[in-house]
Structures are given as structure tokens and as C-alpha cells.
Amino acid sequence: MRSILLLVLFFFCLPGHGQTISTSKPWTYWWWMGSAVTQEDITAQLEGFSKAGLGGVHIIPIYGVKGYENDFVPFLTDHWLKVMEHTVIEAKRLGLGVDMTTGTGWPFGGPNVTKQMAAKTINFKDGKWKILPTKQEVKRAAPGGEGLVFDPFHPTAMADYLVRFDSAFVHAKELPRSMYMDSYEAYGANWTDDFLREFKKRRGYDLQNEPALLTDSTGKSESLLVKIDYHQTLSELLRERYAHAWTSWSKQKGFLTRYQAHGSPGNLLELYDEADIPETESFGTSRFGIPGLRIDPDYSIKQFGTPNPLAMKFASSAAHFSGKKLVSSETGTWLANHFKVSLSQVKPQIDELFTSGINHIFYHGTTYSPVKEAYPGWLFYASTNFGPASHFAEHFSLLNQYVERCQKLLQESQPDNDILVYFPIHDLWSTPAKSAGGVHLLEVHHVDRWLLQLPFGQLTTKLWKEGYAFDYVSDRQFSRLSATKNGDVSSGKSIYKTILIPPSTYMPEETLNELTRLAKSGANIIFADHFPANVTGYNLNGTRQKEFVTKLSELKAKNAGVVVSKDWEIALQKHGVVQEQWAKQGLTFIRKKSGDHSIYFIANLANGFREGWIHIGKLTGKVERYDPLTDELITLATRTEKGKSEVFLKLLPGESCFLRTSGQSMEIVPASKPEKQYSIDGNWAVDFVKGKPSLPASGKLKKAGSWVSLSDTARYFSGTARYALDFDVPAGLLSSKSIILDLGDVREVAAVKLNGEEIGTAWSIPFHLKVIPETLKEKGNKIEIEVTNLSANYMRLRDKQAPEWKKFYDINIVDITYKKFNADNWEPMPSGLLGPIRLLY
């Protein structure tokens, strides 16, 4: 075993106004409250970000802070542009990138949005068509950004909105790398001025003649076809007039684009495909089975849902299909309540994103706060706080270092997915819509409300759990596919073994025509279970349905590469699709390729696997395991079992690693033997080192445990305490080649010294550190463990004594249930070294 420095500074030179920046490092949202910023504090905070290991910032102007009204800087004024340019200049000096929202708050809108441009809704009740304004205004708007949300389907609203940016940027010398559009939240918007004309042009009939079919709730087949046509028209207008208009303008101005398409009524794959950097969102807490991983008990799944990799894959699929190098994610939103998020909770969420194809992390987030502002400073209404006042700020660089090592390898490699799964969005559009305005909104929070209910969702869930590598494809994207000589399909950027059509009811004739074209060229196409039953489109449906059925019959009869089968998994195997067997053992992965070699990122986000022999999938020869947490590389033991090569992998719950073909000669680590363990416990001396509100008196614990039990003062303490103990070890332990210090339950970060030598800092589950055997001796060992806890316990006292820090406009600050934030009734959070502490050898 040896430690290597895999990571050198990884830079991309991207079009965004010539910025040479690091995309392998994580970036952060940076909320400017009231844009009450100064050049001096901007420089200081950027220097702090650089030191912490961040790669860039995303400026989002929002509502301001009470008492600072005279310092507000209205959006896009000369003063605002000056501080923005200063940010870009200073960021370049520090090797940081800068992105900005094309507006303030969200969604797009502002003072130049007229009532005619504003979002509209149509009411179909009682057979009457009544068009009304939604009256929605920009949420969390900054000074100078207040106003109505504009109509996302309007023919000129986007261009009219962007005029103020044209004027503002005309003399700017320094501009950000990328423009950004947040998730679609134009609630109730479902109409535009020329909708009827566009509908008739695209669908071939007058929607005004069919009001009963559009409003029917009995499930008539004709009604479902009209509703599908209605949704498809909205989707097309949204892509053409909203997404495409914005990305085209950005490109013309020299910006890249980051785009959160989710939450919209459009086809997410086609919307994400418009951007340079598709961006998904990890909101809330996943329910991983990792032992010791905490979930905030106040987080409501019913209210907010949970992150889901199948939703994340819409963004990564669009990127893989079109050869986009970066796929980003808003990361850590409401992971737990304010002042309660630990680094050990952040890592598994990021690992899930990595396995879903994300490789450009944006933390949510950091709030600009004046350097002289008293703790806790200015805060955004929603957690997580990744800023300099965070309780994990001292150790934040450790997380960033881990992310950087992972993202370097993920960004340098190419996707290697075997299956291209068709997303039959028309099936969704045929079901009753539950959102405001009567339209389907494809959100990432509650995938249980749309994605998981579809046969598409059920099929992709099975693919995910059983170890298949796949992307999604939309109707519009089929036209860009071609067949290779061996039956594979190519998007021009990625190659797939087969197209897989989920069990579906509806399909456009244009899609069937594209599948027929591909089949005639020899493409492998599998229909799971059955052909789709109905062609979409109400106009002339009877005639077109007969043609549709005939074409389907001919597709199967005339093309050997087309399979219709309930046993679609057998068909996948015949086409050379690789099933990674370790997925059935609870391991989550993404497979990529670098040149001719495969590379896997594997995360253990469950509690089923710990170690064992696993089939190596597409890997050949010697296999090396790279640990991005410790920067260590080892060659794994191999064997052949039933004609298949296997490696012995140890990966505990909470851990992650890369596997790849070894190109170096190094000592092979043999398969594990049963571990022995030796408990370290006794009378722990606890000394408080630094923190708030003041240092409690030193104390002793008869066994490892929470320091809140020591005194009333300790119950309100947030900071660092040193746990110290003298201990002996059995002689047999010293002869072991491998010794692991298992710290058990740590609340929250532990920096360890053993006999005066620094062993390392444990911040993620399973809180293990490697010990060099020579560090130990048989008698008289001394272990010192400095543990840093959350800030929650101090905030219990702060909210009782001085709650005036909650002084923000708009929503002010709320808790995870969106109620008024108040920490003074919280119970003290366990803090320190809870143990048990053991040496494993």
C-alpha cells in the first residue's frame, strides 16, 4: 500500500469570458442580501473561499437585512456592476470562477415585466375560457429586482426581459463565466397570448372547439388525446421561447449556461439539453441505510419528498447524450435544520449525486456577511450554511478535498452506459395533473407523484437496483441517433448497446418513424413487455391509429434487431449489456471510461455489504482501488470463480472508492482475515479548548460520552473539546501490519493525536483512521482527541438571550418546517466522543 498524489490542480479553459478556473473543486451559491456588499469584504470572503478549497462562487442577489437599507445596491445599477466586476477580477486573481443568476431571487421577472408580459393562467370552469394573470412576483427578490414573473410561453417576453441586461453589460469589462436559471417555479402559468394560434399550427385543430374534452375528468380516450396535445404544446413553447431563447442570448454574449429545468411542464431531457451545464438539485435528506447516519426528525417527507437518483439522471442523461463535460447540482438544500448539519451528513448526499452522473457540485450555500458582523452573521432562510461562520468551517477543506479528488476523475472520464431508455412523457401527460394550473410539473422533490408511478419509473428503478448502466432519451432526441455496424446506437457523443422502450401506452408517430429508421439500419431495440397501444394526437386520430398499428407490426416483422418481450433482461444480455452484480449487494455505482479502460466510482450507501469477492464488470487485469478520502491507492487481490474474474473489496457503509485497471506494479493487498478488536476506554479527561459562549470547566467521563452531561454550561457549548486517555495494548496487536482506530459515534469531527503524533481527522462515517503500528507501544500510550460539535447547542442560548440576529426581510429565517425559526426550545444535541473507541487489527 502506498499513498500517491493523484490530484494536481485540474483546470478547464471554458468560453465564459476567458476565465481559466477549477471545475474539479466544488463551488458554492453566494447570496448577496440586499446586494449590500463592499469590495473589501468581497475580497476577504473570496480569499477565505480559496483557502477552504472552493473553486468558484455563484452570485444570487436576494432580499436585504433590516438596518442596512442605506447600504443596499440596486440590481444592475452602475454601483452593482462595479462590485460584480470587482468580484470577477478578484476571483481570477485567486483562481476562482464566478457565475450569476440572470436576475434576482427566482423565477425570472422584475421591474421591466409589464402586465402584458406577465405570467397567465386560464380557467376552464363551466365551459368558459377565462384568462387571468397569475399575479406572481419574483420570490426572494433583491432591491432593483422586484416585479412580476414573466410569461414563460410568451413569444417575446424573454427577449424583452433580457434588454435590461444588454444595457447593463454593454460597457462591462469583466463578466461572469456563466448565466444561471433556477428551477421553474412559475406557479399556475399555463397559457400565453398566442397559444390558440400556436396550438392549431402545431396540432392541426382548433382547441376552442374542444373545451369539453380539455376539461373532461372521466378519462375519455378523446379527452386524454387533447390533454396530451395541450401539454405537448406548452412543452414546445417552453423550450423554444424560454430555454432556447435564454441560452442563445447567453451564448451570443459569451456566457456559458447552467440550467435547472426541473419543476417545469416541459420534457426535462429536451430542456436540460439546451444548456451547457445541466443542473439538478439535491433537496432534503435521502433515507440511506448507513449505520450512525442521522436524519433530522423534523424533516417531513410528506411535505418535501426525498432526493432520488432517477430524477438526477435527467440532467446527466442530457449531458451524456450531447457530450457536455459538466453536470452540476444544487447540493445540501435543507439537509437538516439550521445549525444542525454535519459534514458526515453531506458526504453521502454528494456520493449519491456522483453515482447519478453529477460531477460539478454547487453547495447550497453561503451568504455574504460583513466581516465585522457578529455571529452568526447574515444567513439565508434555508440551510445548509457552508460559509465561514459554519460550525464545520475549520474542517470544510477536508470535504472539499474529497470532492475535488472525485470530480477530477469524473470530469476527466467519459460516460459508459449500455442502455438508452426512452422517456414516454405522453403517458404522464395522459394522467390527471395535480399541480396548480392543471399542468404536470416535473419536480425533483416528489418523484413519487409522477416519475415512480409510471412504468418508466418502475423499469428504471429495477435497472438502477440491479446494476445496469443507462441514460434516458426523449422523443426529440431520437432524430440525432444513428446505428453502428454491430447494432449499437450512437448520439454522436455516446454509444449505447441498445434502446429500451418501457411498457407504455402512447407514442408519437414521429418517434415510431425514428425507431423504424434506426431499426432498418440495424439498431438493437427492445420493447419491454409490449408495444405502445396508441398514437398521440387528437387530430385525425382514427386514420393515424390504423397506420400506427400497421407500422408497429412491420417494425417487428421486418427488423431482426427489434425485440418485444417480457423477458427483456435476457434480451439485454444478448446485446452485450453488462450487469454489475455488486448492485444487488447494496453498492451504488457509476461506470465511466478513460481511453480504452473502464473506471468505476462505487459508494456504499446501505448496510448490506462490508467486504467480499465481487465480479469486476468491465475491468481487466489487475485492479486498483483508489480512496479519494485518504488519497491512497492499492492493488486488490483477485481470483477466478466459475470462469469469471473477481476482486476482494472492502467497503464499509458510508465509504466510497474508485476501481480501475492497474497500470502500476505495487504490493497486492490480500483478502481480509477476521478482525480482532481491542477496546480503548476508561476515565476520559475532557478539557474545553475553544468555542461559544465561554469555556466550561474541565471534567471527567467514566467512559466515552457526550460532554453535555458534564455541566449546565457544557449543555450550551459549541466548539472544541479535547478527550484524553492513557491506555495499554496487548503485545500481539503491535505485530499487526494493519491497525485501524475506530472512533465509533463522533459528534461531529475528531482530530486525533496518538503519543504526540497526529493520526488524522475523522469527519465522515465510519470515522476510521489508520494507525502506523510503530506509533503504539505496549504500555503508557496517550490518545488525545479534539472533537468539534454543531453550533445548535449555543444557538439554544443565543435565541433565548439575543434573538435579534434574525433581522432579514422577506421570509426572514425559518426552520425546516417553514415555521418561524426558534432554537431556544431545542434539546441539547449530543456532543463529543460517544464511542465506542476500538483498535481493529
Side-chain angles (χ1 to χ4, degrees), residues 171-232:
H171 298 300
K173 296 180 181 179
E174 298 289 347
L175 292 170
R177 170 193 76 152
S178 178
M179 286 287 115
Y180 171 81
M181 186 192 296
D182 209 331
S183 57
Y184 180 96
E185 296 185 32
Y187 298 123
N190 62 6
W191 201 255
T192 195
D193 294 343
D194 65 342
F195 186 85
L196 288 174
R197 182 169 65 250
E198 286 295 323
F199 185 93
K200 186 174 183 179
K201 181 174 71 174
R202 296 163 189 259
R203 308 282 86 85
Y205 64 99
D206 194 334
L207 185 61
Q208 277 189 308
N209 295 337
E210 309 296 343
L213 291 180
L214 188 58
T215 58
D216 175 77
S217 59
T218 64
K220 292 180 182 178
S221 59
E222 298 92 340
S223 171
L224 299 182
L225 291 170
V226 171
K227 290 178 180 180
I228 290 172
D229 285 344
Y230 168 71
H231 275 89
Q232 184 167 346

Side-chain angles (χ1 to χ4, degrees), residues 239-250:
R239 187 192 67 80
E240 297 165 13
R241 296 175 168 184
Y242 196 61
H244 184 72
W246 172 71
T247 57
S248 296
W249 173 87
S250 299

